[in-house]
Amino acid sequence: MKRLTRATAVPAAALTLLVAGGASPAFAAPPRVERATYANPVSKAFADTFADPSVIRGKDGWWYAFGTSDPLREGDDVTRPAQVPIARSHDLATWSYVGDAFSSSNRPTWAADGAALWAPDIRYVDGQYRLYYVVTQTTVTAGPNDNAVGMATAPTPAGPWTDSGSPVVAPRPGTSGKADDFLWTYDPSVVTEGGRQQLFYGSYYGGIFVQELAADGRTTVGRPTQVAIDNKFEGAYAVKHDGWWYLFASTANCCAGPTTGYSVQVGRSKKITGPYVDAQGVPLTASRAGGTPVLNQNGNRWVGAGHNAVTTDLAGRDWIVYHAIDRGDPYLNGTEGINERPMLVDRLDWVKGWPVVRAGKGPSTGEQQGPATGGRFATTFDSGVPARWREDGAWTERSEQQAGGFVSSAGAGSLLSSKVGTSARVEADLRSGGAAYGLSLRAGSSTVRAQVDPTAGTLRLTQQRPGHKDPTTDVDLPDGFSADAWHSVVLQVRDGEATASLTNARLGDPVANLDLDLRGSTRTVEQAGAVAQGAGVDVDNLSALPVAKPVSRLAPTPVPDRLDKKASDTFSGSSLGSGWSWVRKDAAATVDDGVLRWPTEAADLTGTSNSAGVLLRSPGSGDWTAETKLTIDLGTDDVRNYQQAGLVAYVDDDQFVRLSHVAIFDTRQTEFGHETPYAGGLSYGGTIVGPPAATTWLRITHRLDPENGEHELRAWTSRDGRTWVKGGVWTLPAGADVKVGLVSHGGAGATAKFSYFRVYR
């Protein structure tokens, strides 16, 4: 990219004293790109595994990703893992290794010997990059497993990183009083809310909490608030969208090799502290735990897709960054040990107020159209040195070439591009010694401007039309707002509405944001760019692109819905209908008054136990849906491991999938589990679907993959029999004879009541 070069004076009245300031960190400017194509995993060029990724666009114009400490390549020494590896990309598609955040010289002094550094979260606040991470073992207590959250700072995303010297969240003892009992203080993630920093942290043992940070980000203040129940969620990541805070969290086992069912669910709240509820209105803190699926496996090579971050491209489209496991190559070395979890990127859509990956299609394979990260009107100035507004009314320059299509505009105090489109998004990183600054879009005689005014302490959004009263809206900037630190400003016009957002680093956590209904007809945006109302304003990473067209509908997922009465049973008599067969018949199962009553057995199917009864029938060939209505008295809140009942698709005792309403410690969940032979043994894992109720409807849909002949089985759950939550997919081998039926086991003490069993074609 070339730096802006043509200096043009503007009226002196618009200018003030030139304020000196340092240059941005000196990195090579990224090359011009449009929308690069990519194929997952995007970390393939530099790493075989890159788990728990966190992403930021640095003020040098590059995107940076940070991952959990693991050996990067198959065959690497597992005793010498990368220490929070860092990668960067100019287009979110092609990534290269930068180095590690830590080494022996800057490793946290309070981390015990042999401790791992996990789950980094990268942020930028008031001119400083902040990296939060888990330390799995500290010197703070004498006990083992006393995990804690740490924090380091750096002037650039690539470092050098300096640890803060002590935990941000110290080890938290559990309730047993044992020396090794510590709540899991994992997976930190920070957002800005109301000008304050808020830290999410926690995991399965203890739950997820949010707590305010001190201004320097090094310590917590006040009391934590629990926002998600224990024993279901970890990997919290929050973004604000259309006035709601969305809490993304991962669920199920992250690391079960080929049967890893890790996935991402979400709840939303108007307040950062919750309560967060899912699309069914169920809180994430409820025992029958809420959570709307965002990302789950779809039957292709990828399983265990989770622990996400979110980033936004220059056209305003969101992208989810996460790790997943190739079920054909699930381990870094051999057939056990470290799970191989490379980094993936996919489009994140917002449909009817809820986020979903690729309109519900899940993780991608093959070539994909990538993010909008460059083009004619997108520029990062040479060597990261920004353009500056001088006291003589010109943008500073070094040559006589334009930068990325932007030119200075006389009398306007601006850097402007030419025609963008009928919708437009302009954004830039800006800072000021005190003068007002912002962004501008002009269509015909109408100009829309977003202006940050440090003196007035406001973000203002205005439409200006000759001869008309200007519609204007503004919002106060938070106390302590630092105008001399870089902030990202976005102005967007689409469908008669303008939006403006001021953030630290484009991570979905606005310092301030505004909406304005525009007047007059929509026209092509003829100019877009940055504006300054005085001297001492710096601008960098300036872009103006058409707004990405949002996805408004979910991709169709066929569900066979023609009832096959011969393959179904209404349990209307005093015995089972024809077509059923037992594997280990349970005499306690009875049919009466339209209900199959089956007390949960003190038995199971997983591993080598193979002691539970299984009631089966043939679903026939082709695509089908198996469905049941289940009422089970599991109660709530208490520990009743692992009583459960539900549907099963069964090849044999070591090859099956199982969709159950199950008690998992104090939670009640709908788990879609899978067991399969692997490497001379057995592998079992589960993925989680929608929230259960006292009565829950369960479905498994079946199709044959036309490419490889595998049986693809997808889980669905409902709390009312009408609104269904789509879950993930497990596969059974091509050519297998798959039966379908019912199970009730996992521990004595509950009774499952099945109201019907139906097969649809």
mmCIF file of all heavy atoms in Angstrom, residues 30 130 164 169 210 259 295 327 402 449 483 599 679 749:
data_model
loop_
_atom_site.group_PDB
_atom_site.id
_atom_site.type_symbol
_atom_site.label_atom_id
_atom_site.label_comp_id
_atom_site.label_asym_id
_atom_site.label_seq_id
_atom_site.Cartn_x
_atom_site.Cartn_y
_atom_site.Cartn_z
ATOM 1 N N PRO A 30 0.331 -4.537 4.776
ATOM 2 C CA PRO A 30 -0.157 -5.707 4.020
ATOM 3 C C PRO A 30 -0.422 -5.352 2.571
ATOM 4 O O PRO A 30 -0.770 -4.223 2.247
ATOM 5 C CB PRO A 30 -1.451 -6.069 4.750
ATOM 6 C CG PRO A 30 -1.889 -4.808 5.417
ATOM 7 C CD PRO A 30 -0.643 -4.080 5.778
ATOM 8 N N ARG A 130 -3.322 -5.948 25.271
ATOM 9 C CA ARG A 130 -3.446 -6.717 26.503
ATOM 10 C C ARG A 130 -3.778 -8.162 26.160
ATOM 11 O O ARG A 130 -4.716 -8.414 25.410
ATOM 12 C CB ARG A 130 -4.526 -6.128 27.416
ATOM 13 C CG ARG A 130 -4.243 -4.690 27.850
ATOM 14 C CD ARG A 130 -5.372 -4.127 28.696
ATOM 15 N NE ARG A 130 -5.077 -2.764 29.138
ATOM 16 C CZ ARG A 130 -5.894 -2.014 29.881
ATOM 17 N NH1 ARG A 130 -7.076 -2.513 30.278
ATOM 18 N NH2 ARG A 130 -5.546 -0.793 30.236
ATOM 19 N N SER A 164 2.098 -8.968 33.834
ATOM 20 C CA SER A 164 1.729 -7.960 34.826
ATOM 21 C C SER A 164 2.315 -8.242 36.203
ATOM 22 O O SER A 164 2.324 -7.357 37.060
ATOM 23 C CB SER A 164 0.201 -7.872 34.947
ATOM 24 O OG SER A 164 -0.332 -9.075 35.474
ATOM 25 N N VAL A 169 -7.097 -12.899 38.100
ATOM 26 C CA VAL A 169 -8.011 -13.667 38.943
ATOM 27 C C VAL A 169 -7.186 -14.779 39.564
ATOM 28 O O VAL A 169 -6.673 -15.650 38.865
ATOM 29 C CB VAL A 169 -9.187 -14.258 38.145
ATOM 30 C CG1 VAL A 169 -10.132 -15.027 39.073
ATOM 31 C CG2 VAL A 169 -9.948 -13.165 37.411
ATOM 32 N N VAL A 210 -18.722 -13.117 35.089
ATOM 33 C CA VAL A 210 -18.223 -11.860 34.545
ATOM 34 C C VAL A 210 -17.938 -10.930 35.718
ATOM 35 O O VAL A 210 -18.684 -10.906 36.707
ATOM 36 C CB VAL A 210 -19.221 -11.220 33.555
ATOM 37 C CG1 VAL A 210 -20.529 -10.828 34.221
ATOM 38 C CG2 VAL A 210 -18.591 -10.022 32.847
ATOM 39 N N THR A 259 -14.378 -38.829 18.515
ATOM 40 C CA THR A 259 -15.765 -38.643 18.950
ATOM 41 C C THR A 259 -15.926 -37.355 19.761
ATOM 42 O O THR A 259 -16.804 -37.253 20.620
ATOM 43 C CB THR A 259 -16.248 -39.848 19.777
ATOM 44 O OG1 THR A 259 -15.355 -40.061 20.876
ATOM 45 C CG2 THR A 259 -16.333 -41.101 18.921
ATOM 46 N N LEU A 295 -22.725 -23.307 16.309
ATOM 47 C CA LEU A 295 -21.740 -24.048 15.519
ATOM 48 C C LEU A 295 -21.704 -25.481 16.020
ATOM 49 O O LEU A 295 -21.420 -25.718 17.198
ATOM 50 C CB LEU A 295 -20.359 -23.398 15.674
ATOM 51 C CG LEU A 295 -19.159 -24.132 15.078
ATOM 52 C CD1 LEU A 295 -19.258 -24.218 13.568
ATOM 53 C CD2 LEU A 295 -17.857 -23.429 15.486
ATOM 54 N N ARG A 327 -11.699 -35.836 12.101
ATOM 55 C CA ARG A 327 -11.968 -37.152 12.690
ATOM 56 C C ARG A 327 -11.095 -38.247 12.086
ATOM 57 O O ARG A 327 -10.939 -39.318 12.685
ATOM 58 C CB ARG A 327 -13.441 -37.508 12.564
ATOM 59 C CG ARG A 327 -14.028 -37.554 11.163
ATOM 60 C CD ARG A 327 -15.543 -37.728 11.252
ATOM 61 N NE ARG A 327 -16.232 -37.533 9.983
ATOM 62 C CZ ARG A 327 -16.728 -38.523 9.237
ATOM 63 N NH1 ARG A 327 -16.592 -39.778 9.638
ATOM 64 N NH2 ARG A 327 -17.365 -38.258 8.121
ATOM 65 N N GLN A 402 -1.149 8.568 -4.808
ATOM 66 C CA GLN A 402 -2.313 8.408 -3.949
ATOM 67 C C GLN A 402 -2.193 7.111 -3.161
ATOM 68 O O GLN A 402 -1.397 6.253 -3.470
ATOM 69 C CB GLN A 402 -3.598 8.394 -4.787
ATOM 70 C CG GLN A 402 -3.819 9.695 -5.542
ATOM 71 C CD GLN A 402 -5.056 9.621 -6.416
ATOM 72 O OE1 GLN A 402 -5.757 8.625 -6.406
ATOM 73 N NE2 GLN A 402 -5.309 10.674 -7.160
ATOM 74 N N ARG A 449 -22.338 12.107 8.535
ATOM 75 C CA ARG A 449 -21.045 12.236 9.205
ATOM 76 C C ARG A 449 -21.129 11.678 10.621
ATOM 77 O O ARG A 449 -22.081 11.952 11.352
ATOM 78 C CB ARG A 449 -20.615 13.701 9.237
ATOM 79 C CG ARG A 449 -19.260 13.932 9.915
ATOM 80 C CD ARG A 449 -18.736 15.321 9.646
ATOM 81 N NE ARG A 449 -18.403 15.498 8.227
ATOM 82 C CZ ARG A 449 -17.882 16.611 7.715
ATOM 83 N NH1 ARG A 449 -17.662 17.661 8.496
ATOM 84 N NH2 ARG A 449 -17.604 16.679 6.432
ATOM 85 N N ALA A 483 -8.698 10.413 23.795
ATOM 86 C CA ALA A 483 -8.728 10.730 22.373
ATOM 87 C C ALA A 483 -7.367 10.547 21.723
ATOM 88 O O ALA A 483 -7.278 10.330 20.511
ATOM 89 C CB ALA A 483 -9.211 12.158 22.166
ATOM 90 N N PRO A 599 -38.314 -47.863 33.724
ATOM 91 C CA PRO A 599 -37.406 -47.346 34.756
ATOM 92 C C PRO A 599 -35.962 -47.357 34.252
ATOM 93 O O PRO A 599 -35.535 -48.312 33.574
ATOM 94 C CB PRO A 599 -37.591 -48.332 35.912
ATOM 95 C CG PRO A 599 -38.937 -48.936 35.683
ATOM 96 C CD PRO A 599 -39.085 -49.018 34.191
ATOM 97 N N ALA A 679 -8.575 -47.408 17.078
ATOM 98 C CA ALA A 679 -7.199 -47.766 17.446
ATOM 99 C C ALA A 679 -7.160 -48.932 18.435
ATOM 100 O O ALA A 679 -6.434 -48.906 19.427
ATOM 101 C CB ALA A 679 -6.477 -46.545 18.021
ATOM 102 N N GLY A 749 -33.403 -45.086 39.470
ATOM 103 C CA GLY A 749 -33.982 -44.015 40.265
ATOM 104 C C GLY A 749 -34.907 -43.077 39.530
ATOM 105 O O GLY A 749 -35.520 -42.206 40.135
#
